[in-house]
């Protein structure tokens, strides 16, 4: 029995020795700073813990500590800046505790600079554009924007790209450089109010004042139309077949669904026009036939 225990102890000691040899195997050596399998394991575990803690801290800041900041975009920008600052300092501390001197990686930084100059231009451009967006804030989380053919709400701004959710609930990842180098329409830059214009046409026989009264009553009674600024009704022009008007409404609740508001207003206007005998015209052409009383000389 004692002999078996001694053999087991010797076996465990040999396994531990072999494991130490494997874990202390030097992968590479940079000016006295050795990188072993144990170092690699430490970096993986420490980095995982750091990322987990940063996510928890970010949620805590957004939901608890910065809740007094009512503007969602400002709160998101502050949380993002703090998150990347903690990550930067955390990784510095991890590499320092692993026994690496940052000065020994000057060659790596030089190689990285060359790589950025040739192959990582777009990534670097988007990264710097993300920093500019967070500080200058041409757009912010919660804004209704249009960039190129993409229109939707900003839901997240990261250091490389911005996530925009369209009216079809499709998330579009837009590189940050497009917001700096291109033209961006921000419908809610100063406040979340949007003005829509809807054309309305009636027959020439209708009185414009009566049409204005009916359409404005429809707009005022719609729950999605703001009373301040008040809706308006403009006489645009004399069309070929109709008097052309334009309904002007402001909304803060139908920003994501402009076509829904348009449809609801048009339904209500059509019903009111029918109830009040207002004619909605369609394109017409008058054909005049001229006849010659004299007969053709060769007939």
């Amino acid at each position: 029995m004692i002999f078996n225990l001694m053999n087991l102890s010797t076996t465990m000691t040999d396994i531990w020795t072999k494991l130490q040899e494997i874990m202390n195997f030097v992968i590479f050596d940079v000016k006295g700073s050795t990188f072993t399998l144990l170092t690699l394991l430490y970096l993986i575990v420490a980095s995982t813990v750091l990322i987990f803690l940063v996510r928890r801290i970010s949620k805590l800041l957004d939901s608890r500590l910065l809740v007094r900041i009512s503007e969602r975009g400002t709160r998101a920008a502050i949380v993002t800046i703090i998150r990347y600052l903690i990550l930067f300092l955390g990784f510095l501390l991890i590499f320092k505790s692993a026994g690496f001197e940052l000065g020994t990686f000057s060659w790596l930084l030089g190689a990285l600079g060359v790589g950025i100059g040739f192959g990582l231009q777009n990534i670097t451009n988007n990264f710097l554009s993300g920093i500019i967006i967070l500080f200058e804030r041409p757009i912010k989380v919660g804004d209704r924007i249009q960039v190129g053919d993409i229109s939707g709400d900003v839901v997240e701004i990261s250091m490389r790209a911005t996530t925009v959710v369209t009216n079809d609930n499709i998330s579009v990842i837009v590189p940050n450089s497009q917001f700096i180098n291109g033209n961006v329409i921000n419908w809610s830059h100063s406040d979340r109010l949007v003005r829509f214009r809807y054309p309305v046409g009636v027959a020439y026989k209708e009185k414009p004042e009566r049409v204005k009264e009916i359409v404005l009553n429809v707009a005022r009674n719609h729950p999605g139309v703001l009373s301040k600024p008040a809706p308006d009704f403009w006489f645009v022009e004399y069309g070929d077949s109709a008097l052309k008007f334009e309904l002007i409404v402001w909304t803060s609740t139908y920003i994501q669904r402009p076509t829904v508001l348009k449809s609801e207003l048009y339904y209500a206007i059509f019903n009111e026009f029918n109830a009040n005998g207002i004619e909605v015209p369609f394109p017409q052409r008058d054909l005049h036939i001229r006849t010659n009383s004299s007969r053709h000389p060769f007939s």
Side-chain angles (χ1 to χ4, degrees), residues 239-250:
D240 294 334
S241 305
L243 300 175
K244 295 186 176 181
F245 301 87
E246 199 169 54
L247 173 62
I248 312 298
V249 297
W250 292 83

Side-chain angles (χ1 to χ4, degrees), residues 200 202 204 206-209 212 232-239 242-247:
V200 177
V202 298
Y204 266 87
E206 308 298 344
K207 295 182 179 181
E209 294 80 6
K212 179 179 180 180
D232 205 350
F233 195 67
W234 296 348
F235 197 146
V236 179
E237 64 177 345
Y238 296 96
L243 300 175
K244 295 186 176 181
F245 301 87
E246 199 169 54
L247 173 62

